[in-house]
């Protein structure tokens, strides 16, 4: 019974929950400047989609088609993926939860936007709480800081995956404030250093987390699995 977490660069992560492979926001080498692995080499049973922006969805349809993975996303994104010929989708919406074979997934709000790459309406952006094997993982998605993170934190979060790169999402300062609301045991940074507008000193961020919170920061190296 185990969960491993891998960062693939930018905001792309994967979870392996007792052998079930869940890819979050597929954006791989060729499209993603900070990824090492091309999408053709990725395995997936489920895809968890936070919103419709290209830096999260560029490789979703290709990965879903080749692997036959079920795409979990909001209703509008599921319709868009269905129209591209991939019917294995599970539509959710903000605030809803569902028990999948690997664990429970609850869609949380995010303060962001969600237009699809071709200009289609992508519904509301979101994040996810994933609860499996006695662990709860919060994937914030692209978001600003919001005080209702305190409600999300009531789930009892083991690991929070937060955007920290600033400009398009929370930056280092606000992501540290978010920890006061979320109260996770550990925090993993994402959505930083992919391009110049989101370049930050991630080690300085980690030091700030250590100084100002009781949360353990965990900076992952690309493609190196971490056993939770
Ligand atoms: Ni975005
Ligand atoms: Mn993004």
């Amino acid at each position: 019974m185990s969960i491993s977490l891998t960062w693939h660069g930018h905001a792309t992560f994967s979870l392996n929950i007792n052998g079930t492979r869940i890819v979050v926001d597929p954006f791989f080498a060729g499209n993603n400047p900070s990824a090492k692995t091309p999408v053709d080499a990725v395995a997936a049973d489920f895809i968890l989609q936070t919103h419709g922006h290209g830096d999260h969805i560029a490789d979703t349809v290709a990965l879903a088609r080749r692997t036959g993975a079920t795409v979990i996303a909001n209703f509008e994104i599921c319709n868009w993926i269905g129209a591209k010929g991939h019917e294995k989708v599970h539509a959710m919406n903000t605030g809803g939860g569902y028990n999948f074979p690997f664990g429970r997934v609850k869609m949380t709000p995010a303060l962001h936007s969600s237009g699809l790459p071709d200009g289609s309406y992508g519904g509301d952006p979101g994040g996810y709480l994933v609860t499996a094997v006695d662990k709860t993982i919060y994937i914030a998605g692209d978001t600003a800081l919001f005080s209702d993170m305190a409600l999300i934190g009531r789930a009892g979060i083991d690991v929070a995956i937060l955007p920290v790169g600033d400009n398009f999402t929370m930056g280092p300062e606000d992501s540290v404030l978010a920890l006061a609301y979320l109260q996770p045991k550990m925090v993993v940074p994402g959505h930083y250093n992919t391009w110049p507008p989101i370049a930050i000193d991630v080690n300085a961020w980690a030091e700030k987390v250590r100084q100002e919170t009781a949360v353990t920061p965990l900076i992952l190296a690309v493609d190196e699995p971490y056993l939770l």
Side-chain angles (χ1 to χ4, degrees):
M1 299 286 275
S2 70
I3 303 181
S4 72
L5 171 67
T6 308
W7 185 47
H8 300 287
H10 194 56
T12 302
F13 288 85
S14 61
L15 291 168
N16 187 316
I17 301 177
N18 291 330
T20 300
R21 297 151 306 182
I22 301 150
V23 178
V24 180
D25 287 352
F27 183 51
F28 286 96
N31 289 317
N32 179 348
S34 63
K36 292 180 178 170
T37 304
V39 68
D40 292 348
V42 177
D45 300 299
F46 290 87
I47 295 168
L48 213 45
Q49 194 72 48
T50 65
H51 65 295
H53 289 161
D55 58 319
H56 300 254
I57 207 168
D59 289 315
T60 298
V61 172
L63 180 61
R65 277 190 181 151
R66 181 177 56 76
T67 61
T70 299
V71 181
I72 301 167
N74 73 26
F75 184 79
E76 289 80 4
I77 291 173
C78 283
N79 283 348
W80 185 79
I81 286 165
K84 295 198 175 298
H86 184 77
E87 300 292 342
K88 278 181 77 179
V89 295
H90 183 104
M92 299 183 70
N93 217 323
T94 315
Y98 187 81
N99 294 324
F100 290 91
F102 60 84
R104 182 166 179 82
V105 173
K106 184 177 181 186
M107 189 177 275
T108 56
L111 265 184
H112 193 67
S113 57
S114 183
L116 287 154
D118 61 4
S120 299
Y121 174 61
D124 286 331
Y128 293 99
L129 279 167
V130 177
T131 302
V133 197
D134 296 331
K135 299 272 186 214
T136 295
I137 300 151
Y138 173 51
I139 301 154
D142 283 8
T143 186
L145 171 66
F146 55 95
S147 59
D148 279 357
M149 284 177 170
L151 296 176
I152 296 169
R154 286 189 189 182
I157 298 168
D158 293 284
V159 181
I161 299 172
L162 301 185
V164 302
D166 221 342
N167 195 75
F168 300 113
T169 67
M170 304 190 275
E173 305 254 322
D174 281 1
S175 65
V176 173
L177 289 176
L179 297 174
Y181 292 115
L182 293 165
Q183 302 273 318
K185 293 186 180 127
M186 296 175 80
V187 59
V188 173
H191 215 280
Y192 69 94
N193 289 0
T194 321
W195 302 284
I198 59 172
I200 65 154
D201 180 344
V202 77
N203 292 312
W205 168 84
E207 189 52 34
K208 190 174 169 63
V209 171
R210 279 188 287 265
Q211 293 292 323
E212 298 179 16
T213 77
V215 184
T216 303
L218 175 65
I219 298 168
L220 296 176
V222 170
D223 288 351
E224 287 182 20
Y226 180 86
L227 197 61
L228 299 183

